[in-house]
Amino acid sequence: MIKSKSIVIIIFLMIRKPIYELDGRLLFYAFQAGGFRILQHQTEINKINIFPVNDKDTGTNLASTIRSVLDTIILQKSYKDTINSIAEFALVGARGNSGIILAQFLYGISRETPDKDKITLVEFAESIRKSIPYMYEAVANPVEGTMLTVIKDWSDYISNKQLEITDFNKVIIQSLETLKLSLKETKIKLKILQQKNLVDAGAKGFVVFIEGVIDFIKSKNIRDFAKVSGESFSFIHNEELIDENIKFRFCTEAILKNINISKSDLQTFLSQNGDSVVVAGSESLCRIHVHNNDPAELFFKLKDFGTITFQKADDMIRQNEAHSRRKWNIALVTDSTCDLSQELIDYHQIYMLPLNINFGDNQFLDKVTITPDHFYDLLERSSEFPKTSQVNERSFSNLYSHLASHYDAVISVHLTGQFSGTYLSSVKAAEKLSTEFNKPIKSVDSKTLSGALGLIVLRVTQAIEAGWPLEKILIAVENWKKDAKIFVSVKDLKYMIKGGRVSKRMGFIAKMLGINPIVSMDEDGKSVLFGQTFSQQANINKVMKHITKISTGKIIWNYEVLHAHNLAGAEKYRKKMYQLTGKNPVSVVDISPVIGMNAGNGTIAVSLLFE
C-alpha cells in the first residue's frame, strides 16, 4: 500500500522514464499491480478452468496465493530482499496447482537472482531463464499448453531481447504480444482445451498478472493504482455447471520442513498416491500438492519424511455439488467436532471445516488428514500430548465466499465457544462476507459438541430440506440447543492426566479406587462432572437411569452412540437406548479425535435430542 505523497512522486517519475535498473521499490509496486489485477479477474479465470480438474477454482487459487504476499510483504529498497520475500510468502500461502506453480517460478527467480540492491535487464532475464527448470521439475507430469508453457515462452522472449533492449519498461510492454500468442496456442496444444475451445486458466492468470504490471508501467497517475490497491476483492466462484467424474476427491496440500528424502523421491511417492502432483520449494521448506482419495493415510506416511507444518484438503466433490448439484438453497456448515456418519454428511451436503491437531511440530486436520485409527496409535506412541487449535478466520472466509456465490444463505453451527475460538472465527468471517455478498451468513454457538452437536446439525438439515425460512430455523436452533444432551463415560483417566484436565495426584487416587467419571455439558457450554462409578457398565446404568428420568413426558427425537475404539461398549449403549426408545441411533461413530484426545481410548458416550 502506498503510504506517502513523496513515494507517490518518486514512483511516478520512475515509470515516466526508461528503467535500466530494477530495485525493490519498483518490484514491490509492480507485483502489487499484477496481483490486484488477478484479484479483479479471478471470476473470469475460474470460469474457463477445466484442466487438470474441472473444479472452477484456478482464479480463486491464484488470488489466494497472491493475497498471501500482498497481506504480508513490506516495502524494501533492495531487489534481492524483495524477491526473496515475495517468493517466501507465495510459497507459504500457495493454493492449488496453479498457485504452487507460480510460487515455484518466483522461488526459482529468487534463487537465481544475484545478491544486489538493483539488477539490470540482463541479470533479470538470466534469473527468469534459470527459474524455468524449477517449475518443470516441481511438476510430476508437466503438460505443455498450460501455465508452464506460457511462462516459458515469456521467459524466452525476455532472454532474446536482453541485449537488444535495455529498458525494463519497453521489454515488458512488448512481451505482451508473445504472451497473448502463447496463451492462444494453449487451446491447440492441449486436446481437452481444443475440444472446449478454451485457453488454459492458469496461463490466462499469468497473462492477466503481466497486464496489470504493464498498466502500472503505462500509468500516468500512480494515485489511480493506489486507489485500486485499497479495494477489497472476494474469492468468487462462477455459477457455470460442472459435469465431470472426479477421480480423486481431495485437493491435498501441505508444507513440509526439513524433509529427509529427495524432492524427486517425494514426488514419486506422491504420484503413487494420486495425481496432479507438484513439489515446490526446497528440502528445508517444501510445498506439496496432490489430488488424493485418502488424505489421512497419505499424511500418516508423510510425517516420516519431515515435519508437517501446514495441511489443506479441499473436498472437490463437495465443491462440485455447490456448483451444479446442490439440493437446497441454504448451505449448512459445521466443524469436525460434529460427530455424524460420513453417509449422513454426504447425503445432506454438510460442509465441515476441520480443527487442527498438533503432535509436536506435526500438524494434522481432524477427521481429514488423521483418522481415529492413526490418532490413537500416535496418542500411545508420542512422547508429547497433542494440542488442538481452532479453525481460523481465513478458512471460514474462503469457504463462505465460495458458498455465498452459490447459495441464498449460510448457517454455520459450531462447538461450544467455551472450548474453542472456532465460533468467533466463524462470526468474524461471516460478518465480512455477508456484507460483501449481501447475503445472510449466520453463525451459531451450539453450547455443546460431538454427538449432541451432530444431532442439532441434523435437525437443522431437516428444517432446511422442509423449506423453513432462515429466521425460523435460527429461532428453532435456540430451543434445540437446550434439548440436546450428551453423557461421556471415560474408561481410562491417563489421557485427562496427560492433557492436564485432571491433576496427577487426583488421577492416581481415582485410578487406585477404580473410579470412572461421567462428563456432560451445562447450558452455558461448559463441561461438568455428571457422576462417577467404579466401572463403565455402572456408568451406563447410571446414565440410562438419568435419561429415563428426564425423558418422562418428553419424546426423544433421536440419539447417537459414540465411542473411542470401543464398539463393544457402544453396542451396550445402543441396546439400552433401543429398549427405551424403540429405535436405532442415527449413527454409531468413532468419536472425533479432537474430543477423544481428552476422553481417551475406550471412551463411550450417548447423545440425544428431545422433540
Side-chain angles (χ1 to χ4, degrees):
M1 190 71 64
I2 298 172
K3 298 292 185 182
S4 68
K5 184 177 180 181
S6 61
I7 293 177
V8 170
I9 293 171
I10 291 170
I11 302 301
F12 175 66
L13 292 173
M14 282 181 170
I15 62 177
R16 288 294 301 270
K17 63 182 183 179
I19 302 296
Y20 301 114
E21 289 186 311
L22 193 62
D23 65 8
R25 294 172 299 174
L26 274 174
L27 177 62
F28 174 86
Y29 290 113
F31 187 89
Q32 278 199 330
F36 279 106
R37 177 61 66 92
I38 282 182
L39 296 183
Q40 289 174 308
H41 288 264
Q42 60 183 294
T43 305
E44 173 191 348
I45 298 168
N46 280 336
K47 188 175 181 181
I48 62 172
N49 170 212
I50 61 171
F51 180 84
V53 177
N54 192 352
D55 53 356
K56 297 294 188 286
D57 67 352
T58 293
T60 300
N61 290 336
L62 285 171
S64 183
T65 304
I66 291 292
R67 177 65 77 184
S68 70
V69 179
L70 299 181
D71 287 348
T72 317
I73 194 171
I74 59 174
L75 184 64
Q76 300 175 87
K77 290 184 179 180
S78 166
Y79 178 90
K80 177 65 171 178
D81 290 343
T82 302
I83 189 61
N84 285 351
S85 295
I86 289 173
E88 178 186 352
F89 299 140
L91 192 62
V92 170
R95 187 181 178 95
N97 206 319
S98 56
I100 296 179
I101 289 174
L102 176 62
Q104 182 70 350
F105 175 60
L106 295 168
Y107 170 72
I109 296 175
S110 73
R111 288 291 301 270
E112 299 298 335
T113 293
D115 190 5
K116 299 172 68 174
D117 290 342
K118 297 180 180 180
I119 65 168
T120 64
L121 182 57
V122 171
E123 291 168 329
F124 175 73
E126 188 68 2
S127 71
I128 63 170
R129 182 186 68 80
K130 289 182 177 179
S131 71
I132 299 304
Y134 285 78
M135 286 195 308
Y136 277 83
E137 289 167 8
V139 181
N141 296 296
V143 177
E144 297 299 340
T146 63
M147 185 182 201
L148 294 170
T149 307
V150 171
I151 294 178
K152 181 180 179 296
D153 289 346
W154 181 73
S155 171
D156 289 343
Y157 176 85
I158 301 294
S159 295
N160 292 335
K161 294 292 183 179
Q162 60 179 304
L163 298 178
E164 177 185 333
I165 303 173
T166 56
D167 176 16
F168 275 94
N169 290 344
K170 188 175 181 180
V171 76
I172 297 298
I173 291 172
Q174 290 184 0
S175 72
L176 185 58
E177 288 305 313
T178 294
L179 278 172
K180 288 182 176 179
L181 177 60
S182 181
L183 177 63
K184 184 178 180 181
E185 289 177 348
T186 62
K187 62 181 177 181
I188 300 172
K189 293 178 179 178
L190 197 55
K191 186 176 180 180
I192 188 172
L193 298 178
Q194 189 175 24
Q195 291 172 344
K196 301 291 184 179
N197 194 31
L198 292 171
V199 297
D200 179 68
K204 173 71 174 178
F206 184 75
V207 175
V208 166
F209 178 86
I210 298 299
E211 285 176 337
V213 174
I214 291 172
D215 279 354
F216 167 63
I217 292 171
K218 291 180 174 179
S219 175
K220 302 301 181 184
N221 188 348
I222 194 64
R223 291 182 179 85
D224 291 339
F225 167 67
K227 181 180 178 181
V228 170
S229 67
E231 294 176 2
S232 174
F233 301 100
S234 303
F235 296 154
I236 303 173
H237 291 245
N238 79 310
E239 289 289 341
E240 185 175 311
L241 303 185
I242 301 172
D243 183 18
E244 179 177 299
N245 240 346
I246 294 178
K247 181 180 178 181
F248 293 103
R249 179 163 187 166
F250 295 96
C251 177
T252 309
E253 297 176 13
I255 294 177
L256 300 179
K257 286 188 175 180
N258 303 319
I259 58 175
N260 53 38
I261 62 173
S262 69
K263 287 170 59 181
S264 60
D265 286 343
L266 179 57
Q267 200 173 73
T268 299
F269 166 77
L270 294 172
S271 297
Q272 293 167 349
N273 289 271
D275 68 7
S276 298
V277 173
V278 184
V279 178
S282 64
E283 278 76 9
S284 60
L285 181 64
C286 183
R287 181 98 190 196
I288 66 167
H289 171 281
V290 58
H291 292 169
N292 170 267
N293 277 327
D294 193 351
E297 185 64 29
L298 177 71
F299 281 99
F300 189 72
K301 294 175 181 176
L302 275 175
K303 67 178 173 49
D304 296 329
F305 300 152
T307 302
I308 306 169
T309 61
F310 167 81
Q311 297 181 26
K312 177 185 77 70
D314 289 339
D315 188 336
M316 293 188 289
I317 288 180
R318 197 52 37 87
Q319 289 177 335
N320 183 296
E321 289 172 345
H323 282 285
S324 58
R325 298 181 179 89
R326 60 185 179 276
K327 296 179 179 179
W328 302 281
N329 292 326
I330 298 177
L332 179 58
V333 177
T334 188
D335 58 69
S336 60
T337 66
C338 171
D339 284 319
L340 282 172
S341 69
Q342 190 61 47
E343 289 77 14
L344 286 171
I345 291 169
D346 287 342
Y347 176 78
H348 295 289
Q349 296 183 344
I350 299 167
Y351 295 84
M352 183 177 288
L353 284 174
L355 274 71
N356 300 299
I357 300 177
N358 299 299
F359 277 94
D361 294 330
N362 284 310
Q363 181 202 72
F364 297 92
L365 301 176
D366 185 30
K367 288 184 178 176
V368 179
T369 62
I370 189 166
T371 63
D373 282 342
H374 294 146
F375 173 78
Y376 292 115
D377 179 51
L378 286 173
L379 190 62
E380 293 295 330
R381 294 193 290 110
S382 178
S383 59
E384 298 182 69
F385 193 77
K387 296 179 181 179
T388 62
S389 58
Q390 67 199 46
V391 182
N392 60 39
E393 185 180 337
R394 188 180 183 88
S395 296
F396 278 112
S397 295
N398 285 338
L399 178 60
Y400 290 159
S401 63
H402 171 64
L403 296 179
S405 300
H406 305 291
Y407 290 87
D408 296 337
V410 179
I411 299 176
S412 200
V413 188
H414 298 288
L415 84 156
T416 171
Q418 298 287 346
F419 283 12
S420 169
T422 295
Y423 165 69
L424 290 179
S425 294
S426 173
V427 170
K428 291 177 182 178
E431 288 174 350
K432 291 179 183 178
L433 273 298
S434 183
T435 300
E436 285 188 32
F437 285 89
N438 194 28
K439 289 183 179 181
I441 304 174
K442 301 296 182 180
S443 301
V444 177
D445 182 346
S446 71
K447 304 291 186 182
T448 189
L449 74 179
S450 188
L453 171 57
L455 291 171
I456 293 171
V457 166
L458 197 58
R459 197 73 192 268
V460 172
T461 66
Q462 289 195 348
I464 291 173
E465 292 159 18
W468 288 19
L470 180 64
E471 290 305 320
K472 182 179 178 180
I473 296 174
L474 294 173
I475 292 170
V477 167
E478 295 306 309
N479 292 322
W480 296 333
K481 286 161 55 176
K482 296 174 185 176
D483 289 331
K485 310 294 179 186
I486 185 168
F487 303 96
V488 182
S489 173
V490 178
K491 185 177 182 180
D492 192 335
L493 277 172
K494 72 177 182 181
Y495 304 98
M496 285 191 164
I497 296 169
K498 281 185 177 181
R501 301 274 177 173
V502 175
S503 69
K504 290 183 179 180
R505 179 175 175 273
M506 292 301 296
F508 176 77
I509 294 172
K511 189 172 183 179
M512 290 295 292
L513 296 174
I515 293 175
N516 293 88
I518 306 170
V519 181
S520 189
M521 304 291 295
D522 65 16
E523 289 189 357
D524 294 324
K526 298 178 181 178
S527 61
V528 293
L529 183 64
F530 171 75
Q532 62 271 332
T533 66
F534 295 100
S535 70
Q536 274 205 328
Q537 184 59 54
N539 272 357
I540 294 173
N541 295 336
K542 187 178 183 70
V543 169
M544 290 307 304
K545 183 177 180 181
H546 179 69
I547 291 176
T548 301
K549 180 180 177 181
I550 63 175
S551 299
T552 304
K554 296 182 179 180
I555 299 173
I556 295 177
W557 173 74
N558 234 315
Y559 71 96
E560 189 170 6
V561 178
L562 311 117
H563 66 95
H565 273 28
N566 190 353
L567 272 171
E571 179 60 14
K572 292 177 182 178
Y573 252 134
R574 188 200 66 79
K575 288 179 179 178
K576 292 280 187 180
M577 288 298 293
Y578 184 82
Q579 291 173 3
L580 178 65
T581 64
K583 57 186 175 184
N584 283 313
V586 292
S587 293
V588 177
V589 296
D590 224 324
I591 202 165
S592 161
V594 163
I595 310 301
M597 64 181 283
N598 290 302
N601 209 344
T603 292
I604 52 176
V606 64
S607 59
L608 58 98
L609 180 61
F610 291 114
E611 287 279 7

